[in-house]
Structure formats: C-alpha cells, structure tokens
Amino acid sequence: MYGDEATVRKILTELGDTWVVVGLSSNRQRAAYGVAEVLQRFGKRVVPVHPKAETVHGEQGYASLADVPFDVDVVDVFVNSELAGPVADAAVAKGAGAVWFQLGVVDEAAYGRTRAAGLEMVMDRCPAIEIPRLG
C-alpha cells in the first residue's frame, strides 16, 4: 500500500485545493476527465496539463507542469507508469505538496524519491473514489 488512510485524508483535506491533473484533456471518454469533474464538485481547482494544453472544465491547460505559472498543491498523475517518474520529479521541482498516482500507476523508485524530498504521495488509488468516503 502506497499511501495509508491518514495520507489520503491529508492530501484531500489539508494540503490545498489547487490540483494539476497531468494527462487531462477534453476527451470525455478518458478517466481523467471524469475524475477532474469529481474533484471540482468537491471544491478543488483542477488545472489540466497535457501536450495539447487544452482548456478543460473551464480551466486553462498547460503543456507541462513547469509551464503552470502559479503554485500547485497536488499533482495528480494520469500517465503510464513508465512516464510517471519524471512527472513526480517535476512535482518536486515545482514545489508541490503532494503527488497522487492514479489506479494502475506505480513507480516504487519515484515514490521513494518523492517521499525523500518531503512530499506526501499516494500510488495506485483514485481521489474520485476516496474523497466521497471522507464524509
């Protein structure tokens, strides 16, 4: 388990409401689109990061995490496990408070680096499943 209940709760309720969702595009068929909607319903600002830099759910998109011109609280990662490590490293460089790897996204080395840098981290879980359970 990468991220116990206390860590999940801390990320979702204490670390801030600006979430960058890496891999979020305007494709309504992708899981990231629906998860972003749920996060918005729970008061999160959801900022898309995708090579297309599309506006999604009313928020301007950016081509990379480094392009986001403001502070980021949580980086939610919807990319393949093979690509997730560099995103976690970019989150550390950006000064984010936490990294969240979605269901099926696991990179143990990235988890270790991110935690060693002082960030909270969860892997292989979905905030859209977790946030309604907080009550």
Side-chain angles (χ1 to χ4, degrees), residues 20-44:
V20 163
V21 180
V22 177
L24 175 58
S25 72
S26 62
N27 183 346
R28 295 173 182 264
Q29 305 305 312
R30 304 289 301 187
Y33 191 90
V35 169
E37 277 184 321
V38 171
L39 289 170
Q40 279 188 323
R41 280 200 307 271
F42 280 88
K44 306 301 182 191

Side-chain angles (χ1 to χ4, degrees), residues 7-55:
T7 302
V8 168
R9 180 174 291 279
K10 183 176 183 180
I11 292 171
L12 290 171
T13 65
E14 297 175 26
L15 292 184
D17 292 332
T18 301
W19 284 55
V20 163
V21 180
V22 177
L24 175 58
S25 72
S26 62
N27 183 346
R28 295 173 182 264
Q29 305 305 312
R30 304 289 301 187
Y33 191 90
V35 169
E37 277 184 321
V38 171
L39 289 170
Q40 279 188 323
R41 280 200 307 271
F42 280 88
K44 306 301 182 191
R45 177 183 184 192
V46 176
V47 180
V49 168
H50 188 279
K52 294 180 183 177
E54 299 173 300
T55 296

Side-chain angles (χ1 to χ4, degrees), residues 6 13 25-26 38 56 59 67 86 104 106 114 119 126-127 133-134:
T13 65
S25 72
S26 62
V38 171
V56 182
E59 284 284 344
D67 293 338
V106 175
T114 303
L119 281 70
C126 179
R133 298 195 311 200
L134 295 178

